[in-house]
Amino acid sequence: WPQPGISAEALAQARRQFLREASTLARLDHPNLPKVSDYFSLSPLGDDRPDAERDYLVMDYVPGQDLYQVVQEAHRESRLPEERQVLGWMEQLCDALAYLHRQEPPVLHRDVKPANVKLTPEGRIKLVDFGLVKPLDPDDPKTLTGLHGIGSLPYTPIEQYAGDLGHTDTRSDVYGLGATLYHLLTGQPPASAQDRFLDPQVLPLPREVNPAISPEVEQAVMAALALHPNDRPPSVAAWAEMLARAAPTGPVAAA
């Protein structure tokens, strides 16, 4: 919905961006992503003002709880999801993000978090809420992250705080994956990248919170949560390989 008082130029730019992102989503086809079937703009009946037009995206309804709700439910029962089960969810999530990143140009989600991951009654993971999705073009300023698209702080890498100086790439989604896995295994979101930059000790290691986490999985989590992008695994596929070496149930495929 347009912000009150938005200029005609800004509104036109926002509409172009919506159409660009909607057309990107409409061409995606993956079992762990909701299918976008249509997108259009429409004004309320009888209202012909240019700023009255609204943009709509039509996609599949995804039943089930999101993983934030799953963790909250487990917390109420004084338990945490088992590592084996969580790694199965992450296998599907990695597969979806690796698919997005293989597009030409690569598609970034930029808001990976438990609340944006649905678990269907059949046990399938669906990555939802593409409000911050961006086609990645290093020469296109639209892939620079401004404050209007910062994401959710506990799951947001530090480069998304940087306004016009911040450039996101596929390693930004790796950070979101690590933060999501941290939350699922410990029952609490990680400290924000901003807080960690100011005080590195503010983030306890996952095994300090939940000793049942395997050392290999903890290592993968902390690698993804590296503050500088260069210190993270270079891709979702590379990070998934780290999890595959730790997973007791076999490989975690993302390539």
Side-chain angles (χ1 to χ4, degrees), residues 214-228:
S214 65
E216 296 83 4
V217 169
E218 178 181 78
Q219 182 182 9
V221 170
M222 298 310 295
L225 287 177
L227 286 177
H228 197 287

Side-chain angles (χ1 to χ4, degrees), residues 198-215:
L198 297 173
D199 179 8
Q201 304 303 315
V202 75
L203 179 69
L205 292 172
R207 283 167 51 82
E208 293 176 1
V209 183
N210 178 9
I213 299 171
S214 65

Side-chain angles (χ1 to χ4, degrees), residues 105-117:
V107 175
L108 309 182
H109 188 278
R110 303 193 310 142
D111 199 19
V112 180
K113 60 182 179 180
N116 283 344
V117 182

Side-chain angles (χ1 to χ4, degrees), residues 1 41 102 108 111 113 160 197 206:
W1 293 67
S41 300
R102 287 196 301 270
L108 309 182
D111 199 19
K113 60 182 179 180
Q160 279 184 224
F197 178 79

Side-chain angles (χ1 to χ4, degrees), residues 141-157:
K142 292 185 178 66
T143 63
L144 296 177
T145 304
L147 293 178
H148 64 282
I150 195 170
S152 304
L153 296 188
Y155 316 95
T156 301

Side-chain angles (χ1 to χ4, degrees), residues 46-57:
D47 193 338
D48 297 326
R49 294 174 301 157
D51 61 352
E53 198 170 61
R54 305 290 186 259
D55 300 322
Y56 298 89
L57 192 68

